[in-house]
Amino acid sequence: MRLCHGRRLRVLTVAAVLTLSFHGLSRAVTYNLRADYGSVTMPDGRVIPVWGFALGSGPVTIPGPTLEVPAGDTTLVINLTNNLAKPVSLVVAGLPATLSPVFDSGTPTRVVSFTHEAAPAGGPATYTFTGVRPGTFLYESGTDPSLEVQMGLFGAIVVRPATAGRAYDAPASAYDHEVVMLVSEIDPVFHDTVAQGKYAPEKTPETALPGEVTSTIDYHPKYFLVNDRPYTDPYAPFAGGRAGETTLIRLINAGLQTHSMELQGTRMDVIAQDGNLLGHPRTGRVSESLEAGQTLDILIRPATAGLYAFYDRRLNVTNAGAFPGGILAFIEVSPASGTVVKAHVQADGPARYCAGNVRRLDASRSTVLGCTSTPTYQWRLGGAPIAAATGVNYDVAQPAGAYSYTVDVTCPGGPAVTDTLAPPAVLEVVADVAPAEVTGLTVARKEFGILSATRDGLVIGWSPAAGAVSYIVYISATPSGPWTPYALGVTAIPTVVAVPSGTAYFRVAAVNFCGTVGP
Amino acid sequence: MDRQAFRFARAALIVAVLAAAGGAAPASAAISGITGTTFNFTARDGFLANPDGSYIYFWGLADDGGTGEVQLPGPTLILSQGTMVTINLTNMLPEPVSLVFPGQEGPTQPVYDANGRLRSLAQEAAPSGGTRTYTFTAGAPGTYYYQSGTHLDKQIPLGLYGAIIVRPPIAGQAYADAATAYDREYLLLLADLDHRLSTAAESGLSFDSTDWIAGYWFINGRSATDTMSEDNVPWLPNQPYGAMVSMHPGETILLRVLNMGRDPHPFHTHGNHVLAVGRDGRLLSTGGAAGADLAEFHFTVPAGSGQTWDGLFTWSADNLGWDVYGHAPGDPMQVGEYAPDHGKAIPTQTPYLTSLQYGDLYSGSPLLGQTGPLPPDHPGLNQTGAFFYMWHSHRENEMTNLNDFPGGMMTMLAIEAPWVPIP
């Protein structure tokens, strides 16, 4: 998981697979993307299966890698390979391309993709955008988008103008720092349904089996992300430079809902929309609507050092209902002058996690300004320095318990400036105790629909087991097994499953926070 | 009391179009609120009375310098530009609360719990009697708000919010620009509520705010048809602010529309378009002496969550093609009258009375400021011959109270004849 902001963007430009070919004055930049399976873990520990993009053979990220088109390049080429079992394609609203829609073989035919596809299990396909212009854009799959975009096949594109330090060629778009904030939403039930092969768009709600989802109409997001994660502590704010400087926020909405982005403590000047510089900026905004698929370029110039809260005023500021979370961010502005060191840490996963795992604490997003030497780090546990823990990262491999970590970040030499992380990064390591046995199993057949027997379901109930966060329903043709999973990740008791053919036996097992399955 | 006297006695209630009864003061054309530099608020719980007969639990703020009743929305602060404001908050609720002031300058002061988890965007007042003082300087003129900075998805929808109006030094203008001059002004604070959140909070239970589906919609803390009752009616002790809009032809009224709800509330005005001149406390201008040159007309003000819109609205019977006063050619003009239609007869003949179906707001005459005979069972709600226009959320399903129409985010504009006083 990676947060894309100014420093990372520049790193990515170097790290990306770049093929520069010169055609007179214009050049092309080429990225090799891969569509693949992956997963992201939400701050409450819920693992979300996703389909996402990756650079080359790198890891799948949500959102996909930010693709930067350097100054002078007017052609963007994306070579896409596809490891998914579904065709995938790539479209960018706002960048010129010749689209070749794909139709199915039905009568009449139906469009299945806005443009040519990368075939399942390989591909490849090449997408070429010519005459690209500066701005902030969103790339996403153009195939079955109601499914594939929601599953995670999207990312940001930043096209740079000729003049460095500007969002567009216009002087009014000049900035000192930039951040990309791509917001998105996750409906975990939909992701689980797709991953379990129970997404059945060919069916209707009347003909679907229990557990199947037939469309995205019942879309019900529970998680709301800014770049690769919802708000979670420990939190590293976005870097907003020094007081009086200008920060460019490239705001992108890859979700399906309208968000209303509210900034506290300073005003927003919206200078561009959908990659188009506005003739007159919308100055001084406190809250600005960000529609699905829209991009906004916003300049802020906070006069005072401090943290500035930036969040969805539609109050999607929870993780599955738990505040704080969701689309909530802080932008940090440092004092106008002097050496500044401010410790910030983020973790590579939830602060509450299962024993036996390693959690990496990362201080690389600490703020260090005006420091002429390389900052040094000293990690602490409960206030006491940890021997040899002086790297920018620290890997925590602790038994069950609660641990409070801080880090000192120091600018050595000159006027030595040190800052210690506050508040601390508190990690809770949970013991992996097998959940109790499930008792009180009941099975009843129930007719849910009036159209056909396929709407019959089996209502399976049981008594909640200690330590359970979910359950697995197993099925067997004999009372003694072998048992195969029939419904996974069940959280509702009772649950409804499809009626199997013949005689069937059921067993239910509890799954604990660590994923350990009980008896 | 003979019928005529009875009708005059009810004339003061003209703005209470659909209200049941009452004898309170008429709606004020000024925005009700409190002024000063120091305010003492108490956060506490209460119940909203809804036109559908339900009572909904809410968290609100009480002005201890006033009635002390907890209210929705919180007291409207009417401030002069540059005022240093102090708010002393006492918290009688069962969990910490705080106040933030979006649009006012200054960084956020987040508060974390012992486990390093973010708890609040501002210093809190502790539960059950804790206090906290907030200060800010009223910045640029315009329409703003305050809201809870703690547990946002719970405390804001439950009612911890209110409007802030910052006035420029020049009276009668929204901004320091003559293009924003107005004759009267109205506040239309839009909000929404999923009553399941209220029920859970009342019982001390949690509510997963990602399951939010609003069922009640408010203007100034009231649902229609209570929106059309006057300010401070006794039967709505916790919802003091009415939302009835009244004006004379030819006048310009300033509408301060702000959305404190979670959902977008595109607000639709009948009668004319709204010229939006300000957003979030900024003149819509290219700057300098250009005036409100970026002002834009809307018949649906696209009020997104947390946005404020300042708009000018006029009405003068333009282009109706007939004289709303029933003047004969040569009669003197009324103030604010649309001159091209002066003296033109209404192009229809009034049918026989027995052929008419009478709306509750029909005065008995199609002419502005005139009344006529009404059937004996008519409620006689329009004693001044006003013209009425419905204003409402353009998401039409929001004109309901838990799916009962009419209700929700809806009110009326009354065009009163020039000789009818509007307080």
Side-chain angles (χ1 to χ4, degrees), chain A residues 131-190:
Chain A
V132 301
R133 56 199 170 82
T136 305
F137 303 94
L138 170 71
Y139 68 89
E140 59 186 30
S141 176
T143 302
D144 202 353
S146 64
L147 166 69
E148 295 194 356
V149 177
Q150 167 59 200
M151 287 303 286
L153 290 165
F154 53 78
I157 291 178
V158 171
V159 182
R160 302 212 172 275
T163 309
R166 293 182 186 171
Y168 296 84
D169 287 309
S173 68
Y175 59 85
D176 300 302
H177 308 274
E178 71 176 317
V179 297
V180 174
M181 291 193 193
L182 186 153
V183 302
S184 62
E185 305 137 11
I186 290 175
D187 173 350
V189 171
F190 183 76

Side-chain angles (χ1 to χ4, degrees), chain A residues 32-77:
Chain A
N32 295 323
L33 285 186
R34 184 181 95 255
D36 211 335
Y37 299 97
S39 69
V40 293
T41 305
M42 292 296 103
D44 57 8
R46 183 152 183 171
V47 178
I48 310 289
V50 299
W51 301 351
F53 288 114
L55 271 181
S57 58
V60 163
T61 57
I62 301 295
T66 297
L67 308 181
E68 183 175 336
V69 180
D73 290 349
T74 56
T75 300
L76 168 65
V77 179

Side-chain angles (χ1 to χ4, degrees), chain B residues 242-398:
Chain B
M244 186 73 196
V245 179
S246 301
M247 66 183 293
H248 291 137
E251 290 179 345
T252 297
I253 59 173
L254 171 67
L255 304 174
R256 298 179 182 271
V257 179
L258 68 158
N259 182 353
M260 290 282 83
R262 288 188 61 177
D263 296 324
H265 297 299
F267 195 75
H268 180 47
T269 56
H270 288 234
N272 205 349
H273 301 230
V274 176
L275 180 66
V277 294
R279 252 299 302 278
D280 294 356
R282 283 283 190 275
L283 185 71
L284 291 171
S285 172
T286 54
D293 59 337
L294 297 180
E296 50 192 27
F297 280 105
H298 295 273
F299 60 73
T300 301
V301 177
S305 184
Q307 299 175 4
T308 76
W309 292 75
D310 295 327
L312 300 176
F313 182 93
T314 61
W315 190 95
S316 35
D318 311 30
N319 296 308
L320 282 185
W322 53 283
D323 185 325
V324 294
Y325 300 101
H327 290 133
D331 282 355
M333 294 272 289
Q334 271 297 342
V335 175
E337 184 177 342
Y338 179 65
D341 288 342
H342 185 67
K344 293 183 183 171
I346 187 168
T348 185
Q349 191 171 2
T350 307
Y352 288 114
L353 298 185
T354 50
S355 303
L356 284 174
Q357 186 169 6
Y358 290 82
D360 285 358
L361 293 175
Y362 187 55
S363 70
S365 166
L367 300 177
L368 182 63
Q370 298 192 25
T371 57
L374 290 166
D377 59 342
H378 191 274
L381 294 173
N382 186 355
Q383 299 295 308
T384 55
F387 287 2
F388 288 88
Y389 293 94
M390 192 169 72
W391 286 8
H392 58 92
S393 171
H394 231 166
R395 298 175 74 178
E396 313 280 0
N397 64 315
E398 298 183 343

Side-chain angles (χ1 to χ4, degrees), chain A residues 87-249:
Chain A
V88 172
S89 62
L90 203 142
V91 294
V92 184
L95 292 188
T98 303
L99 299 185
S100 313
V102 178
F103 297 85
D104 69 9
S105 54
T107 307
T109 60
R110 291 198 304 180
V111 70
V112 294
S113 178
F114 298 144
T115 193
H116 63 288
E117 298 171 321
T126 297
Y127 301 89
T128 303
F129 303 88
T130 55
V132 301
R133 56 199 170 82
T136 305
F137 303 94
L138 170 71
Y139 68 89
E140 59 186 30
S141 176
T143 302
D144 202 353
S146 64
L147 166 69
E148 295 194 356
V149 177
Q150 167 59 200
M151 287 303 286
L153 290 165
F154 53 78
I157 291 178
V158 171
V159 182
R160 302 212 172 275
T163 309
R166 293 182 186 171
Y168 296 84
D169 287 309
S173 68
Y175 59 85
D176 300 302
H177 308 274
E178 71 176 317
V179 297
V180 174
M181 291 193 193
L182 186 153
V183 302
S184 62
E185 305 137 11
I186 290 175
D187 173 350
V189 171
F190 183 76
H191 282 250
D192 286 347
T193 302
V194 171
Q196 294 170 17
K198 292 183 176 177
Y199 178 62
E202 71 282 4
K203 297 184 180 176
T204 68
E206 288 73 28
T207 60
L209 298 173
E212 288 182 334
V213 171
T214 61
S215 77
T216 50
I217 286 175
D218 293 329
Y219 178 66
H220 190 157
K222 308 292 278 187
Y223 301 98
F224 302 86
L225 284 67
V226 179
N227 294 343
D228 66 342
R229 63 186 68 191
Y231 180 89
T232 184
D233 289 299
Y235 181 82
F238 288 85
R242 293 181 181 273
E245 293 181 339
T246 301
T247 294
L248 167 69
I249 303 172

Side-chain angles (χ1 to χ4, degrees), chain A residues 220-224 231 233-235 258 260-267 280-281 283-289 302-309 311 313-324 328 330 351-352 404 422-428, chain B residues 100-110 112-121 140 144-145 147 149-153 156-157 161 207-212 259-264 279-286 294 302 304-307 395:
Chain A
H220 190 157
K222 308 292 278 187
Y223 301 98
F224 302 86
Y231 180 89
D233 289 299
Y235 181 82
T258 302
S260 205
M261 299 302 297
E262 176 163 298
L263 179 63
Q264 270 185 23
T266 190
R267 303 297 187 100
H280 301 290
T283 56
R285 295 294 160 92
V286 174
S287 178
E288 191 72 357
S289 299
T304 310
L307 292 169
Y308 290 82
Y311 50 88
R313 181 52 180 74
R314 299 199 64 195
L315 305 180
N316 295 311
V317 290
T318 70
N319 299 328
F323 177 87
L328 168 60
F330 288 99
R352 182 171 186 264
S404 179
V426 178
L427 302 180
E428 184 189 351
Chain B
V100 295
F101 306 90
Q104 309 303 327
E105 290 290 316
T108 308
Q109 308 282 346
Y112 300 86
D113 70 11
N115 285 328
R117 306 278 193 274
L118 177 71
R119 208 173 65 192
S120 176
L121 299 180
Y144 301 96
Y145 48 91
Q147 63 191 17
T150 307
H151 206 157
L152 311 183
D153 60 307
I156 295 175
Y161 54 79
F207 173 73
D208 182 342
S209 65
T210 63
D211 293 337
W212 171 274
N259 182 353
M260 290 282 83
R262 288 188 61 177
D263 296 324
R279 252 299 302 278
D280 294 356
R282 283 283 190 275
L283 185 71
L284 291 171
S285 172
T286 54
L294 297 180
S305 184
Q307 299 175 4
R395 298 175 74 178

Side-chain angles (χ1 to χ4, degrees), chain A residues 335-353:
Chain A
S337 61
T339 304
V340 177
V341 174
K342 187 79 184 150
H344 297 300
V345 164
Q346 62 182 19
D348 66 350
R352 182 171 186 264
Y353 65 102

